[in-house]
Amino acid sequence: MESNKSIRDYFNLKEKDEYNLIPKGKSTLTKNVTGKRKSENNTDEYKSMSNLIDTNKSIVPNNANSTKFYSFENFINNLESWKNHLDTYINSNKMKSIYNFLNNEYSSERIIYPPKELIFNAFSKTNWENLKCVIIGQDPYPNKGQAMGLSFSVNRGIPVPKSLTNIYKCLEKDKKFKFKIPNHGDLSRWADEGVFLLNATLTVEDKKANSHQKNSGWSDFTDFVIKTINEKKKGIVFLLWGNFAIAKKKFIDANKHHIIENIHPSPLAASKGDFSESDQFSKVNEYLEKEGISTINWTIPN
């Protein structure tokens, strides 16, 4: 779609289609010798973080022995190259409130995604200095093994979500690329290329989509992140898909940055148009070239 072109009437997507990813009649589960079902993936890898030893100082994974980690200082250090640019917020009571909320959630009997060490994965994967493009999602996938801290991305070995499948199809149709759809949904390669894959809410409870949207404080934090990018950067391309992401346009100065709007890639948006018909990814590179910024290699190897 045309850059900066307003899209009204697009639906307010909850992304329910993303959360039931196993096709009917298929299963990623097998049985062990006792007859109990067991995931083909290493289930230990996806256990949630829990069991705080000190509610004010550390978060401990529920499968750990006695290792303490994640003081508030370590928590914010995971923002890495973004930390100094977000210092106003980090030093506020708002950030401490988010930290306390997560302390309670990860220490409870509830299962929280992504694993604690991947909460700020989008920030650690995309260096502030290398930032070129922003793609905004809503919140992490709420099923075991999916969420990895990057919007629209899932761990290798996990079925590719329907929205991401449509994103891949869009790239495949773009005549300016020779994109081959990979056999996985891990978008880490894009993050390394300078694509900031930001979810508006960075954590979620197991099987409860949007469960951390209201009470966590994440939305306020990620809005501040977008405002900071807008203020301190120039020539960034924002890909805004669906009503939820398009609403963030109010934080972006279109005279400094480039905005490309489209319907959400979810099949639920099919009645509003064809997401894959847009050559938006090649347009991102065209804008970057105009700004004298190196383009993005959208290729994702198997």
Side-chain angles (χ1 to χ4, degrees):
M1 290 192 171
E2 294 292 329
S3 173
N4 301 338
K5 184 177 180 181
S6 175
I7 297 181
R8 308 178 186 277
D9 303 327
Y10 281 142
F11 68 114
N12 183 17
L13 183 67
K14 296 295 183 183
E15 296 189 349
K16 293 179 180 177
D17 67 304
E18 296 296 337
Y19 308 137
N20 186 15
L21 301 177
I22 309 299
K24 292 182 179 179
K26 296 184 179 180
S27 175
T28 59
L29 299 176
T30 58
K31 289 186 177 181
N32 60 21
V33 291
T34 65
K36 294 181 179 180
R37 294 198 300 174
K38 177 181 178 182
S39 172
E40 289 178 351
N41 293 310
N42 182 353
T43 56
D44 287 339
E45 182 178 354
Y46 306 125
K47 286 183 179 178
S48 70
M49 303 295 110
S50 63
N51 300 331
L52 288 187
I53 290 178
D54 184 329
T55 57
N56 291 321
K57 293 184 178 180
S58 60
I59 299 175
V60 178
N62 61 3
N63 61 343
N65 295 319
S66 60
T67 304
K68 292 184 178 181
F69 59 109
Y70 269 23
S71 63
F72 178 74
E73 182 179 0
N74 287 337
F75 175 68
I76 61 176
N77 281 343
N78 284 325
L79 289 165
E80 298 191 15
S81 63
W82 294 72
K83 181 182 174 183
N84 290 338
H85 301 283
L86 304 173
D87 59 347
T88 302
Y89 199 100
I90 288 171
N91 293 324
S92 71
N93 288 330
K94 291 181 178 180
M95 196 68 179
K96 293 176 182 177
S97 177
I98 293 173
Y99 173 74
N100 289 333
F101 172 84
L102 295 177
N103 267 339
N104 291 331
E105 290 296 294
Y106 279 90
S107 65
S108 70
E109 294 299 318
R110 294 181 292 277
I111 299 173
I112 308 300
Y113 304 126
K116 178 184 60 58
E117 64 271 17
L118 296 179
I119 291 173
F120 290 128
N121 198 25
F123 296 83
S124 60
K125 285 283 187 182
T126 302
N127 187 282
W128 169 268
E129 297 301 328
N130 192 40
L131 177 63
K132 301 173 184 177
C133 176
V134 179
I135 298 178
I136 301 172
Q138 192 160 336
D139 73 332
Y141 300 117
N143 289 334
K144 183 168 70 174
Q146 295 175 327
M148 57 177 296
L150 304 177
S151 63
F152 296 99
S153 181
V154 293
N155 287 293
R156 287 173 180 261
I158 299 297
V160 177
K162 295 175 184 178
S163 288
L164 182 52
T165 295
N166 284 338
I167 293 170
Y168 284 164
K169 288 179 179 179
C170 183
L171 275 158
E172 188 179 41
K173 285 184 177 182
D174 198 315
K175 296 179 180 178
K176 295 185 179 180
F177 298 126
K178 293 182 179 179
F179 182 82
K180 184 177 180 180
I181 295 179
N183 59 10
H184 62 86
D186 184 354
L187 302 180
S188 295
R189 174 66 176 270
W190 288 0
D192 294 337
E193 284 283 316
V195 181
F196 189 43
L197 298 163
L198 177 68
N199 276 320
T201 301
L202 300 184
T203 55
V204 69
E205 184 178 347
D206 179 52
K207 296 181 176 61
K208 294 184 179 180
N210 299 308
S211 52
H212 284 183
Q213 188 175 40
K214 291 183 179 180
N215 300 322
S216 64
W218 278 133
S219 293
D220 188 66
F221 170 73
T222 53
D223 283 350
F224 182 84
V225 171
I226 295 170
K227 293 173 186 176
T228 301
I229 295 171
N230 175 68
E231 177 185 348
K232 297 186 177 184
K233 289 283 189 178
K234 184 179 182 300
I236 302 299
V237 184
F238 289 82
L239 285 174
L240 306 181
W241 298 335
N243 279 348
F244 183 85
I246 291 172
K248 305 297 181 182
K249 186 169 63 172
K250 62 187 176 183
F251 302 128
I252 306 165
D253 183 350
N255 293 318
K256 289 179 60 180
H257 306 284
H258 303 288
I259 301 172
I260 299 176
E261 300 177 23
N262 200 351
I263 62 175
H264 197 277
S266 167
L268 294 178
S271 62
K272 305 297 181 181
D274 186 351
F275 175 87
S276 64
E277 284 300 315
S278 170
D279 58 350
Q280 57 195 313
F281 293 97
S282 58
K283 284 185 177 179
V284 170
N285 281 353
E286 289 173 5
Y287 287 132
L288 292 174
E289 282 186 324
K290 290 179 181 178
E291 294 291 338
I293 301 171
S294 60
T295 58
I296 295 166
N297 180 2
W298 296 101
T299 302
I300 300 177
N302 287 327

